[in-house]
Amino acid sequence: AQTVTQSQPEMSVQEAETVTLSCTYDTSENNYYLFWYKQPPSRQMILVIRQEAYKQQNATENRFSVNFQKAAKSFSLKISDSQLGDTAMYFCAFMKRRSNYGQNFVFGPGTRLSVLP
Amino acid sequence: DAGVTQSPTHLIKTRGQQVTLRCSPKSGHDTVSWYQQALGQGPQFIFQYYEEEERQRGNFPDRFSGHQFPNYSSELNVNALLLGDSALYLCASSLAIQGVQETQYFGPGTRLLVL
């Protein structure tokens, strides 16, 4: 079974600064996806960024980037130029990439990020 | 392009009752997954439907059942409600390409309170 760990229950950052959220996972799979989702107080889960395990290049989406270390099973999220709207719960998630019509996400417990003015 | 929609947004039930939650997937998606998110925790996988069949199930009792309709929309049914079933229920949709699920997109959720 896969497990996802987020060791930082809460973090805070000043507006315009950079923050890194940590995520580690455990799996015996070789082919999988990793995701970061954001859940603001409004509760809608929003996709932030996606990484395919077979790609060595780290994914980036505007101010969001990841540091994917496959051997270490580490997948951290870096938010640059933090904005007040980045305040949310951030969930790291793992999904096996298998052709069997039955896959699901395994989520970490989340990190509550507060961006301070 | 309509995203994932869920109804109702909030629901209050009493112990022992039954509840049905509904989900319409994002346009073009054919797979629906359901998750339970207790307060302050990450979502837990309940089950996934594709081609109107349950394809995978998480560690949830048989009181939790579902259905997928030909238009890909889905229902989650919970029987004999317990206080511990109080949670946010999230629906996620995705597109299966040669059997492999692509990224899941989530709906706004249904908040269920069991008294």
Side-chain angles (χ1 to χ4, degrees):
Chain A
Q2 287 75 37
T3 58
V4 177
T5 302
Q6 294 177 251
S7 59
Q8 306 150 316
E10 293 189 28
M11 294 190 73
S12 63
V13 62
Q14 292 294 134
E15 200 175 1
E17 293 189 346
T18 296
V19 64
T20 299
L21 309 184
S22 301
C23 172
T24 58
Y25 58 96
D26 186 27
T27 184
S28 58
E29 301 285 331
N30 192 49
N31 203 357
Y32 51 87
Y33 296 114
L34 294 163
F35 303 83
W36 279 98
Y37 279 86
K38 163 186 175 181
Q39 190 176 39
S42 65
R43 82 190 184 202
Q44 178 98 41
M45 193 81 77
I46 302 166
L47 175 67
V48 174
I49 201 164
R50 174 179 115 156
Q51 176 77 43
E52 292 152 355
Y54 66 88
K55 289 187 176 179
Q56 293 186 341
Q57 186 173 5
N58 289 324
T60 61
E61 285 290 342
N62 301 314
R63 298 182 295 107
F64 299 89
S65 62
V66 298
N67 183 4
F68 173 48
Q69 302 289 328
K70 190 172 184 179
K73 295 180 183 175
S74 170
F75 184 61
S76 61
L77 174 69
K78 184 171 83 171
I79 306 174
S80 304
D81 186 26
S82 296
Q83 301 176 359
L84 296 178
D86 295 333
T87 293
M89 282 291 287
Y90 285 80
F91 293 99
C92 179
F94 171 98
M95 184 177 81
K96 291 183 291 186
R97 189 179 187 279
R98 269 193 192 172
S99 178
N100 67 352
Y101 294 102
Q103 295 129 338
N104 64 278
F105 280 20
V106 176
F107 282 88
T111 295
R112 184 176 302 280
L113 176 67
S114 299
V115 179
L116 308 174
Chain B
D1 180 20
V4 181
T5 60
Q6 292 186 243
S7 63
T9 56
H10 295 83
L11 205 51
I12 300 175
K13 293 285 188 179
T14 57
R15 280 180 299 174
Q17 284 189 312
Q18 178 265 343
V19 67
T20 298
L21 311 181
R22 296 176 176 82
C23 171
S24 290
K26 181 178 169 67
S27 178
H29 285 183
D30 56 9
T31 304
V32 173
S33 303
W34 287 92
Y35 294 82
Q36 180 194 67
Q37 187 179 18
L39 198 61
Q41 298 183 21
Q44 299 293 315
F45 174 71
I46 302 175
F47 43 54
Q48 183 178 79
Y49 277 84
Y50 172 77
E51 290 186 333
E52 302 179 49
E53 290 187 15
E54 183 182 295
R55 298 290 178 162
Q56 190 169 0
R57 189 179 184 90
N59 188 25
F60 279 80
D62 291 345
R63 298 187 298 108
F64 289 77
S65 63
H67 188 78
Q68 185 179 34
F69 300 93
N71 66 353
Y72 307 118
S73 66
S74 177
E75 288 181 350
L76 164 65
N77 301 292
V78 187
N79 295 320
L81 284 167
L82 304 174
L83 295 179
D85 295 331
S86 295
L88 180 67
Y89 288 85
L90 295 168
C91 169
S93 74
S94 55
L95 175 64
I97 298 177
Q98 295 182 333
V100 178
Q101 297 299 327
E102 295 296 306
T103 301
Q104 294 188 2
Y105 292 86
F106 286 81
T110 294
R111 174 75 66 192
L112 172 64
L113 178 61
V114 182
L115 301 176

